[in-house]
């Protein structure tokens, strides 16, 4: 009971801008996950795509978002107007959402997914840099954890809404996609009217030259170690679309397939803020080590579990590892990057992650098609083990 007032005081001390950005993320993720929860089933069952195609589409979509972050992050450092770029990204995603229910074929669907992810890429690095700008150093882990938790509330609210609509409408996937338009525009309105750039962004940017390749030389060694670890770790984290398809292959009814993302994201949301706040007190790396170890456990359960309860257990461990790692990896980027290059730093880290995500999802789809889900998840466990070894070897240098 003694820790409860401390927890409340930390939450109340987190700046308003971080809370608003968390709410923006929550509404947009609600929208995106309503669509994402049913995308694999829609592509395979309705549009006739192969498993390899699903892996390629998901990999291209997420890699596109991460690659675009490089340019938007560097641009936000130069302009000092991170909010403007974040608003453009959220607006692009919102106005693309109606294309999903209108798509007449796989080409339209891929195009909509691609543009939606470009919007994510434009907003991602400026938004994360804004969190770092708003948050005082002693609350940085808690601030990133809070934003991640609010984001992830949307990530399980979306699939829950999708399940409800599917049950009430006899699996009307297109109606789910239409309803997803509403929270997307709420997120856009919040970012436009709810926040302003901190004054120091514009002041720092005045007289600054356009971002150059030479700026990369200003990043310390610790930053590049973090980027390397994130890249290897991302190879173990292929698209959650494969969790959905694993559940379907285990016999979960189509209307309840989004339950997989609900379970994962409830755990993810509950863990992210406490993990971030704890990292401010005891350090980041011990928590990351536990998180990567739990991914190995999740992959092994999913590799050998053939029943719906086993899949749900594996997905729960997957969500636990996400909560312990994702907010902290972003915090480590902010910890190790120069203040005036934070946007660029988040962009660079996400470029590396984007390439790894593309490779991981394409390889996962190919392994699934040729060898089945067991080999796919065993491969993920192997990459996670490599990342864990790397973190154990290099953790003293990431300071």
């Amino acid at each position: 009971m003694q820790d409860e007032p401390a927890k409340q005081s930390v939450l109340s001390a987190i700046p308003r801008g971080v809370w608003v950005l968390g709410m923006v993320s929550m509404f947009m993720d609600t929208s995106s996950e309503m669509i994402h929860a049913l995308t694999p089933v829609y592509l395979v069952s309705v549009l006739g795509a192969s498993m390899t195609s699903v892996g390629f589409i998901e990999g291209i979509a997420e890699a596109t978002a991460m690659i675009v972050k490089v340019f938007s992050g560097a641009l936000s450092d130069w302009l000092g107007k991170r909010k403007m770029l974040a608003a453009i990204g959220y607006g692009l995603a919102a106005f693309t959402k109606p294309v999903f229910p209108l798509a007449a074929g796989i080409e339209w669907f891929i195009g909509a997914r691609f543009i939606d992810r470009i919007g994510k890429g434009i907003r991602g690095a400026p938004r994360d840099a804004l969190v770092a700008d708003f948050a005082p150093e002693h609350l940085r882990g808690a601030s990133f954890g809070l934003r991640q938790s609010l984001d992830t509330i949307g990530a399980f609210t979306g699939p829950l809404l999708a399940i409800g609509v599917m049950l009430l409408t006899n699996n009307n996937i297109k109606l789910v996609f239409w309803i997803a338009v509403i929270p997307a525009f709420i997120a856009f309105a919040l970012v436009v009217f709810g926040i302003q750039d901190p004054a120091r962004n514009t002041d720092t940017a005045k007289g600054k030259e356009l971002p150059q390749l030479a700026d990369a030389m200003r990043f310390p060694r610790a930053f590049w170690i973090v980027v390397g670890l994130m890249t290897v770790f991302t190879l173990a984290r292929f698209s959650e679309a494969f969790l959905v398809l694993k559940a379907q292959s285990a016999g979960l009814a189509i209307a309840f397939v989004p339950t997989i993302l609900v379970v994962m994201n409830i755990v993810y949301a509950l863990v992210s803020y406490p993990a971030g706040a704890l990292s401010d007190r005891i350090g980041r790396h011990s928590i990351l080590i536990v998180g990567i170890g739990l991914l190995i456990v999740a992959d092994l359960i999913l590799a050998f579990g053939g029943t719906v309860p086993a899949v749900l257990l594996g997905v729960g461990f997957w969500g636990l590892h996400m909560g312990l790692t994702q907010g902290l990896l972003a915090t480590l980027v902010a910890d190790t990057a120069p203040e005036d290059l934070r946007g660029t730093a988040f962009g660079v880290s996400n470029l590396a992650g984007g390439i790894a995500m593309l490779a991981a999802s394409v390889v996962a789809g190919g392994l699934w098609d040729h060898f089945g889900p067991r080999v796919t998840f065993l491969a993920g466990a192997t990459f996670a083990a490599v990342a864990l070894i790397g973190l154990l070897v290099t953790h003293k240098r990431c300071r």
Side-chain angles (χ1 to χ4, degrees):
M1 294 298 292
Q2 292 179 347
D3 290 340
E4 192 64 27
K7 183 186 293 185
Q8 291 176 353
S9 65
V10 170
L11 281 173
S12 63
I14 292 175
R16 176 181 174 276
V18 175
W19 281 95
V20 174
L21 287 169
M23 296 292 289
V24 169
S25 295
M26 182 182 72
F27 280 107
M28 185 56 75
D29 238 39
T30 298
S31 173
S32 295
E33 292 302 327
M34 288 183 73
I35 295 172
H36 184 60
L38 295 170
T39 290
V41 175
Y42 191 75
L43 286 170
V44 174
S45 303
V46 179
L47 299 182
S50 67
M51 290 298 299
T52 300
S53 296
V54 172
F56 185 76
I57 291 167
E58 290 300 308
I60 284 288
E62 295 304 323
T64 297
M66 293 182 178
I67 290 168
V68 172
K69 287 180 184 180
V70 171
F71 304 101
S72 65
L75 192 59
S76 77
D77 287 334
W78 178 60
L79 294 174
K81 295 181 179 179
R82 307 197 199 280
K83 173 193 167 175
M84 179 185 72
L85 291 168
I88 291 172
Y90 279 105
L92 188 60
F95 283 97
T96 303
K97 288 294 191 288
V99 179
F100 288 100
L102 294 172
I106 193 169
E107 296 84 3
W108 278 88
F109 200 95
I110 293 172
R113 184 92 169 110
F114 183 75
I115 296 172
D116 177 71
R117 296 297 88 177
I118 289 177
K120 180 178 180 180
I122 292 172
R123 70 183 183 253
R127 180 205 60 203
D128 288 341
L130 271 172
V131 173
D133 290 343
F134 283 129
E137 185 175 352
H138 69 286
L139 293 175
R140 189 175 289 156
S143 295
F144 274 100
L146 175 66
R147 191 207 65 78
Q148 193 67 64
S149 285
L150 289 172
D151 180 288
T152 311
I153 288 173
F156 69 75
T157 301
L160 278 175
L161 288 172
I163 292 170
V165 175
M166 291 283 281
L167 289 173
L168 291 173
T169 64
N170 193 25
N171 300 332
N172 189 337
I173 294 179
K174 286 191 175 183
L175 181 58
V176 175
F177 291 170
W178 276 118
I179 294 174
V181 173
I182 299 170
F185 278 94
I186 294 175
F188 177 52
L190 276 173
V191 78
V192 170
F193 300 109
I195 59 169
Q196 296 296 330
D197 281 300
R200 65 178 179 274
N201 282 357
T202 304
D203 294 341
T204 302
K206 286 180 180 178
K208 187 174 180 179
E209 295 181 354
L210 280 167
Q212 300 176 13
L213 188 61
D215 286 334
M217 301 300 295
R218 294 178 51 206
F219 289 122
R221 183 183 183 188
F223 169 78
W224 293 112
I225 291 174
V226 169
V227 170
L229 289 172
M230 288 177 66
T231 302
V232 177
F233 187 41
T234 302
L235 289 172
R237 282 191 53 252
F238 40 76
S239 170
E240 283 85 16
F242 293 97
L243 302 181
V244 172
L245 293 166
K246 171 68 177 179
Q248 189 180 22
S249 70
L252 190 62
I254 186 171
F256 291 100
V257 161
T259 304
I260 294 304
L261 296 183
V262 172
V263 170
M264 184 194 79
N265 286 304
I266 286 176
V267 178
Y268 189 0
L270 290 174
V271 172
S272 291
Y273 169 73
L278 184 62
S279 77
D280 288 330
R281 296 167 54 192
I282 69 171
R284 324 283 188 212
H285 293 86
S286 57
I287 299 174
L288 281 174
I289 287 169
V290 174
I292 296 175
L294 288 172
L295 177 58
I296 298 173
V297 173
D299 277 323
L300 292 176
I301 293 173
L302 291 165
F304 295 102
T307 65
V308 172
V311 173
L312 289 171
L313 179 63
V315 167
F317 274 98
W318 190 288
L320 188 57
H321 108 265
M322 293 282 282
L324 290 174
T325 60
Q326 297 310 292
L328 296 193
L329 288 170
T331 308
L332 277 173
V333 172
D335 287 343
T336 56
E339 182 177 350
D340 64 321
L341 290 177
R342 279 177 180 158
T344 306
F346 281 108
V348 169
S349 65
N350 281 288
L351 172 63
I355 295 171
M357 177 63 76
L358 173 59
S361 293
V362 172
V363 169
L367 288 173
W368 191 299
D369 274 339
H370 290 92
F371 303 105
R374 177 169 294 177
V375 172
T376 302
F377 287 105
L378 287 176
T382 301
F383 279 113
V386 172
L388 180 58
I389 292 169
L391 182 59
L392 290 170
V393 170
T394 64
H395 75 277
K396 291 184 180 179
R397 303 175 189 174
C398 299
R399 295 176 181 173

